[in-house]
Amino acid sequence: MLQTEFPFTLPLGYVDSEGTLHKEGTMRLATAFDEIAPLKDPRVRSNSAYLLLILLSRVVTKLGTLEHINPKTIEGLFAADLAHLQDLYCRVNQNGHNRVQTQCPYCEKAFQVELSSVGE
């Protein structure tokens, strides 16, 4: 079965206007339209770096108790959290999963680790 949603925990968390910290969330796989639609946005046309903010606002489906995720929400993330989501986006949309290949430093046996469970 194809996994289309991936849970995540932000390293620092998003602080909303009420002062509430939101760390747990869900990201879905991107569609072709998710990647194409932001290219028409005037904010992206004037600053290509804004593409990431719009793209993440489309695929992050849950962040704590927030009802709506929009580009303004993603703008308010700390840089470490933005980098975390960008890495997750790349892993799940290129590989279809959130696992990385690693190797035991003692026996040198290769194995995969599911990153969403690391550090939680």
Side-chain angles (χ1 to χ4, degrees):
M1 180 180 230
L2 177 64
Q3 182 179 358
T4 60
E5 291 194 332
F6 300 86
F8 63 81
T9 302
L10 295 175
L12 300 173
Y14 173 76
V15 180
D16 66 20
S17 60
E18 310 284 314
T20 304
L21 182 65
H22 304 273
K23 291 184 81 167
E24 305 292 322
T26 305
M27 179 184 291
R28 67 171 173 78
L29 287 177
T31 64
F33 189 70
D34 289 325
E35 294 204 348
I36 294 169
L39 298 175
K40 296 178 182 178
D41 191 293
R43 295 169 292 188
V44 174
R45 289 183 178 197
S46 65
N47 181 354
S48 62
Y50 208 80
L51 174 65
L52 175 63
L53 302 178
I54 294 177
L55 185 55
L56 289 176
S57 73
R58 295 177 66 90
V59 298
V60 173
T61 57
K62 182 180 175 209
L63 182 57
T65 59
L66 297 177
E67 291 188 23
H68 302 287
I69 311 300
N70 55 43
K72 202 74 164 159
T73 307
I74 304 300
E75 284 178 5
L77 292 173
F78 294 107
D81 292 331
L82 182 64
H84 181 81
L85 289 178
Q86 184 176 17
D87 289 345
L88 176 62
Y89 179 89
C90 291
R91 279 192 308 276
V92 301
N93 284 288
Q94 291 173 1
N95 304 325
H97 57 76
N98 192 23
R99 295 184 299 273
V100 293
Q101 187 76 19
T102 191
Q103 185 176 12
C104 175
Y106 303 106
C107 71
E108 298 183 2
K109 181 177 180 182
F111 60 97
Q112 290 188 347
V113 174
E114 182 76 28
L115 291 184
S116 63
S117 63
V118 174
E120 293 182 3

